[in-house]
Amino acid sequence: MKKSIVYLVGAGPGDPGLITIKGLECIKKADVIVYDRLASPRLLTYARPEAELIYVGKSPDRHAMKQHEINQLLVEKAKEGKVVTRLKGGDPFVFGRGGEEAEVLVENGIHYEVVPGITSAVAVPAYAGVPVTHRDATSDFAVITGNEDPAKENSKIYWDKIATGIGTLVFLMGMSNLSKICEKLIQYGRSPSTPVALVRWGTRPEQQTLVGTLQDITEKAKEAEFKNPAVIIVGEVVKLREKLAWFENKKLFGKRVLVTRSREQASVLSQRIEELGGEAYEFPTIQIAEPDTYAPLDAAIDALSSYKWVVFTSVNGVKYFFNRLKKLGKDVRELHGTNICAIGPKTREALESYGLIVDYVPSEYRAEKIIAGLSGRLEPGDRVLLPRADIARKILPQALKEMGAVVDEITAYKTIMGAGDAQQVIEMLTRKELHVLTFTSSSTVRNFVQLLGAANLKELLKDVIVASIGPITSTTARELGIEVTVEAEEYTIDGLVDAVLKAVAERQG
Ligand code: SAH
């Protein structure tokens, strides 16, 4: 039996990339994940499909679970023999009540470990272009709870000392006490003109920053209706933001982008989005699986030397073909007399990783182009093998046949419906937290619509940018009632990302 354990894990401030490697491992191996509102929902997509996910934060339709109930829950699940990952925003021991949870675990004799996280107290200022220390401004900073009413007698906060004794002050949970905090600092000698920045939902697409001084920030915050969760940064370092702001200047800043490809293929697109300052949310609408039977592929592999060309139309096709080749006790030497065609650069790269040189890659990544490119190199009667998906389009084999080739279309893998959390996607769309949808094939559109099963899909997508990888995908989307905002000019992932950038720039005017 696995040993039960509770991991108190810092999820970081919001940008899912800001979790530690160790924290991510704890998510991947957990039987139970207990999480609250400040942990990024994207992190939960790394959980095992059978993991139990328990939300204990506040939400509009539910009260937050009380702290002693959360403690009890952790104890209970651990006593059932489970591996429990308690995901907490930022660092678990910075105002997260992680210390209390740990105490209860110890008292109950439960094995536990702490995985520190990147605290919002440092990371949120950084994403707003504010270094908490700087040689020219200050050599120290303090992190202070803003939750304590400054009017309270017997305060644990030494206002008289921190007001002038420390350069940078970072208050967490302080928005409702903002005016009192500013008054207290001024009362104890901090200059009213000291710069202050408020940063809300820092490191996430929703990040908002408001800058003022101890004297005027309360008024400004009221006007802007600036609310929690936010950090309050007080000190000269705030001025550096004018020069150092970076995150808010990125091209996809403020955009959360849905990636609907299969889990195996999503990462390239997600990475590009995140390099541009957007947040990728992976919702695989497709899963790649083994074919129902390998008999046709096995027969084709047996007869490989009889083919003039093998045409690969996807990375998955390459992967499944070579996995099977190996299973049959064979390798690339079987292909020595055969020409190899790859439909695009990624497929070519996949083939090259097996040590093969690809004989032909069309200049444009469409079946129609392949045919034009092969026309001088195919004689009537030549045999062509197409190892591909069960649902691949018929246009390529048909056209090859018209050229006189003998075509064997073989199912090397099949695509099945993805198993992502559709409810989570619907909720994000309802709350307007998803800004762009990307579709990379007709089946991603079809499965997306089916998985969501939302009668009000049109309404949900009203303000959302829908980006399609090419005309065929766009047609499918329109047939299903989805309006396509922008279509890639080059039918590749880079082309799709360019299209997204174009649409975002147009909307921003
Ligand atoms: N353990 C957490 C803090 C928990 S207290 C950490 O180390 O970051 C909750 C407070 O943290 C919020 O009220 C807010 O002040 C701050 N906070 C957490 N995430 C934030 C974010 N993404 N943007 C702004 N403030 C954040």
Side-chain angles (χ1 to χ4, degrees):
M1 203 178 92
K2 258 189 313 192
K3 234 170 93 189
S4 76
I5 182 166
V6 177
Y7 295 105
L8 298 180
V9 177
D15 176 343
L18 293 180
I19 192 165
T20 62
I21 291 174
K22 193 163 181 182
L24 190 58
E25 277 165 7
C26 291
I27 293 176
K28 288 180 179 168
K29 68 183 169 194
D31 299 312
V32 182
I33 297 180
V34 180
Y35 66 103
D36 42 42
R37 155 171 114 121
L38 291 173
S40 164
R42 153 94 179 273
L43 291 174
L44 299 174
T45 65
Y46 295 101
R48 292 162 45 217
E50 62 276 23
E52 185 185 0
L53 309 179
I54 306 175
Y55 179 72
V56 295
K58 279 185 219 142
S59 69
D61 53 342
R62 248 177 317 187
H63 276 298
M65 213 186 247
K66 301 239 164 48
Q67 187 60 48
H68 71 89
E69 293 169 327
I70 298 174
N71 299 346
Q72 220 35 57
L73 179 70
L74 298 178
V75 170
E76 237 168 66
K77 292 292 174 187
K79 285 196 169 156
E80 286 170 21
K82 306 264 170 69
V83 172
V84 183
T85 290
R86 168 70 173 120
L87 255 194
K88 301 172 76 72
D91 179 90
F93 279 1
V94 177
F95 301 132
R97 306 191 70 169
E100 292 165 55
E101 292 174 14
E103 279 179 309
V104 173
L105 295 172
V106 171
E107 283 155 17
N108 283 272
I110 287 161
H111 187 50
Y112 89 102
E113 284 181 23
V114 184
V115 181
I118 295 184
T119 177
S120 62
V122 174
V124 169
Y127 269 55
V130 179
V132 289
T133 70
H134 189 286
R135 274 168 69 100
D136 300 334
T138 177
S139 325
D140 44 35
F141 72 98
V143 182
I144 305 144
T145 174
N147 206 9
E148 186 184 285
D149 183 350
K152 180 170 123 180
E153 279 178 49
N154 306 324
S155 167
K156 284 202 205 107
I157 301 171
Y158 299 102
W159 292 97
D160 54 333
K161 298 201 168 64
I162 62 163
T164 53
I166 292 170
T168 305
L169 303 175
V170 181
F171 291 88
L172 303 188
M173 304 176 285
M175 282 308 293
S176 50
N177 286 322
L178 179 64
S179 65
K180 292 180 195 159
I181 291 170
C182 294
E183 279 163 27
K184 255 326 200 226
L185 294 175
I186 294 172
Q187 180 192 334
Y188 283 104
R190 194 78 174 229
S191 162
S193 62
T194 308
V196 180
L198 309 178
V199 188
R200 177 164 200 252
W201 282 129
T203 80
R204 309 192 358 155
E206 290 83 5
Q207 175 169 315
Q208 263 180 303
T209 307
L210 189 67
V211 178
T213 62
L214 277 181
Q215 195 152 36
D216 67 16
I217 194 71
T218 307
E219 201 48 44
K220 282 186 169 178
K222 215 179 269 162
E223 262 167 45
E225 296 181 35
F226 212 90
K227 295 195 193 78
N228 267 323
V231 301
I232 303 167
I233 314 160
V234 180
E236 294 305 312
V237 285
V238 167
K239 286 190 187 149
L240 289 160
R241 170 180 156 76
E242 280 170 34
K243 194 166 157 193
L244 299 184
W246 59 276
F247 180 55
E248 293 156 24
N249 302 339
K250 296 194 103 179
K251 284 189 181 146
L252 282 185
F253 167 68
K255 302 292 175 244
R256 187 172 285 111
V257 183
L258 193 74
V259 175
T260 53
R261 314 186 88 187
S262 69
R263 173 89 59 223
E264 298 82 356
Q265 289 181 300
S267 61
V268 186
L269 179 54
S270 300
Q271 232 170 4
R272 288 281 290 128
I273 291 162
E274 291 183 349
E275 280 162 12
L276 290 160
E279 185 182 305
Y281 188 90
E282 293 180 5
F283 176 60
T285 55
I286 288 179
Q287 289 181 68
I288 306 300
E290 294 193 277
D292 295 333
T293 163
Y294 274 115
L297 183 59
D298 289 355
I301 287 174
D302 251 354
L304 262 184
S305 60
S306 70
Y307 292 101
K308 178 86 181 277
W309 283 90
V310 184
V311 179
F312 291 96
T313 55
S314 70
V315 172
N316 282 317
V318 174
K319 195 174 110 189
Y320 277 83
F321 178 88
F322 285 99
N323 281 352
R324 193 62 192 168
L325 195 66
K326 192 169 174 198
K327 262 261 158 56
L328 297 176
K330 300 179 176 180
D331 64 20
V332 290
R333 285 170 291 185
E334 299 293 318
L335 284 159
H336 67 95
T338 314
N339 294 305
I340 296 174
C341 169
I343 201 170
K346 290 284 173 246
T347 309
R348 179 221 290 254
E349 273 171 34
L351 286 159
E352 285 174 350
S353 76
Y354 290 95
L356 291 162
I357 292 175
V358 176
D359 298 284
Y360 174 63
V361 186
S363 57
E364 221 183 288
Y365 316 124
R366 277 193 297 167
E368 294 80 349
K369 276 277 164 184
I370 290 209
I371 293 152
L374 287 182
S375 65
R377 318 185 204 196
L378 252 187
E379 309 266 305
D382 281 349
R383 288 167 60 88
V384 178
L385 176 63
L386 272 172
R388 43 194 219 142
D390 53 339
I391 54 160
R393 292 171 63 222
K394 296 290 169 206
I395 174 160
L396 179 59
Q398 258 160 23
L400 289 167
K401 278 178 202 158
E402 277 161 30
M403 291 167 68
V406 180
V407 181
D408 283 342
E409 232 190 304
I410 300 281
T411 299
Y413 63 96
K414 67 176 180 182
T415 57
I416 57 176
M417 190 66 77
D421 186 349
Q423 199 49 40
Q424 180 75 256
V425 173
I426 291 178
E427 277 169 29
M428 288 198 294
L429 284 169
T430 310
R431 292 195 299 259
K432 309 232 172 277
E433 288 175 2
L434 273 177
H435 313 103
V436 182
L437 306 185
T438 59
F439 293 109
T440 48
S441 66
S442 290
S443 37
T444 59
V445 186
R446 256 184 247 116
N447 292 5
F448 172 79
V449 172
Q450 197 173 331
L451 280 168
L452 256 61
N456 61 338
L457 189 60
K458 251 209 158 75
E459 177 60 27
L460 285 176
L461 300 188
K462 210 171 65 150
D463 302 317
V464 175
I465 291 173
V466 175
S468 141
I469 199 164
I472 297 156
T473 304
S474 302
T475 304
T476 306
R478 291 194 191 101
E479 281 167 8
L480 292 169
I482 296 179
E483 210 174 299
V484 175
T485 319
V486 69
E487 183 180 287
E489 281 173 24
E490 194 197 83
Y491 312 144
T492 60
I493 293 303
D494 284 342
L496 182 63
V497 171
D498 287 343
V500 169
L501 285 173
K502 191 173 126 200
V504 166
E506 268 168 21
R507 289 244 167 134
Q508 281 162 353

